[in-house]
Amino acid sequence: MTTRDLKIIDDLITRTNNLPEILHLRAADDGYMLSETDKILLLDTYEKLDDILKEVAAFINVKFPGRQDHMYGWNKIDFDTKIGDFKIITNDREHIKRAWLNGLFDLKSLLKSLKNEVVLLLDNEEQIDKSDMNVRTNNFTGTIIYNESKVTGKQIQSSPRQTENSVTKLPKTTTQIFKDILIGLFVTIIGGIILWFITTILN
């Protein structure tokens, strides 16, 4: 479920609430003749209502496949006058009004139920995403930066896998180089003395 799904439901709710008021035309007084404007208004309203019902059905089929409760709620929506399960044609204004208002009530109730469920699903998915993010932030995946030389101030950036090898390859400082030279000279002198001593004794 995504925020786009929530926007779709909100749009359907808004369009349902903004349907033109035609109850006075559906339950007009006996003998009232519909004008051309009345006919256009009725036709426009029925087309808008039909589009809403089709989109609600498509939303249920795609987002809530197999959900019998939502399918039952959609099938329950009806704007025709009935006696029991049988549709009837009547001039009873109160009966006509009641049928129309009941149909709108059932449609709005279904949309409200769908919205509530979409909101809950979105909240649940956001909680899961936050949990995954917390787990990921506990794992170090960054890089380490160390100084290449105190003189140049250059820096080398390495990946976590290369950090250990990179650190061992740091260039020697002047002091370390000087120490290595002294050690080399010392070893050379001692070696020469030992060699001279052995040669002298053997002779």
Side-chain angles (χ1 to χ4, degrees):
M1 206 64 65
T2 65
T3 54
R4 175 176 171 77
D5 298 321
L6 183 58
K7 290 180 180 179
I8 291 174
I9 292 297
D10 284 336
D11 177 67
L12 288 169
I13 292 174
T14 300
R15 287 160 58 192
T16 300
N17 291 333
N18 291 338
L19 284 172
E21 179 58 54
I22 60 170
L23 191 56
H24 65 288
L25 298 177
R26 285 179 62 88
D29 294 330
D30 290 339
Y32 178 79
M33 298 296 293
L34 294 175
S35 65
E36 289 301 319
T37 302
D38 294 337
K39 293 178 182 179
I40 292 174
L41 179 61
L42 284 172
L43 180 60
D44 179 61
T45 303
Y46 293 152
E47 288 178 348
K48 289 179 178 178
L49 181 58
D50 186 60
D51 289 340
I52 291 172
L53 291 171
K54 289 178 179 177
E55 290 177 33
V56 173
F59 188 88
I60 293 172
N61 288 333
V62 173
K63 297 299 180 177
F64 299 99
R67 285 289 299 272
Q68 296 296 325
D69 54 336
H70 292 325
M71 294 171 64
Y72 172 79
W74 188 88
N75 287 322
K76 181 183 176 184
I77 299 171
D78 199 337
F79 301 93
D80 295 323
T81 52
K82 289 183 176 181
I83 294 180
D85 292 331
F86 298 97
K87 293 183 180 181
I88 62 171
I89 298 176
T90 178
N91 293 328
D92 186 341
R93 297 180 62 201
E94 293 304 318
H95 200 163
I96 295 172
K97 289 180 181 179
R98 185 165 55 251
W100 178 257
L101 293 175
N102 286 343
L104 286 177
F105 177 81
D106 290 338
L107 174 57
K108 292 178 180 179
S109 295
L110 176 59
L111 288 172
K112 184 177 180 180
S113 297
L114 291 173
K115 179 176 180 177
N116 290 340
E117 193 157 349
V118 169
V119 169
L120 289 175
L121 290 172
L122 280 175
D123 289 342
N124 185 54
E125 290 176 3
E126 288 178 359
Q127 291 297 326
I128 294 175
D129 291 340
K130 288 180 180 179
S131 298
D132 291 342
M133 185 178 296
N134 290 335
V135 172
R136 289 195 297 269
T137 53
N138 289 332
N139 297 325
F140 177 74
T141 57
T143 56
I144 297 175
I145 298 177
Y146 58 87
N147 288 329
E148 179 182 351
S149 172
K150 293 182 180 179
V151 178
T152 62
K154 293 182 180 179
Q155 293 180 328
I156 297 176
Q157 185 171 347
S158 64
S159 66
R161 294 181 180 178
Q162 297 173 337
T163 301
E164 184 176 354
N165 292 334
S166 299
V167 172
T168 58
K169 295 180 181 179
L170 287 173
K172 295 181 179 180
T173 63
T174 304
T175 303
Q176 290 174 331
I177 294 173
F178 184 70
K179 287 182 179 180
D180 291 343
I181 293 174
L182 289 178
I183 292 172
L185 289 174
F186 180 77
V187 171
T188 301
I189 293 171
I190 295 299
I193 293 173
I194 293 174
L195 181 61
W196 174 82
F197 182 76
I198 293 174
T199 304
T200 302
I201 293 176
L202 291 176
N203 291 334

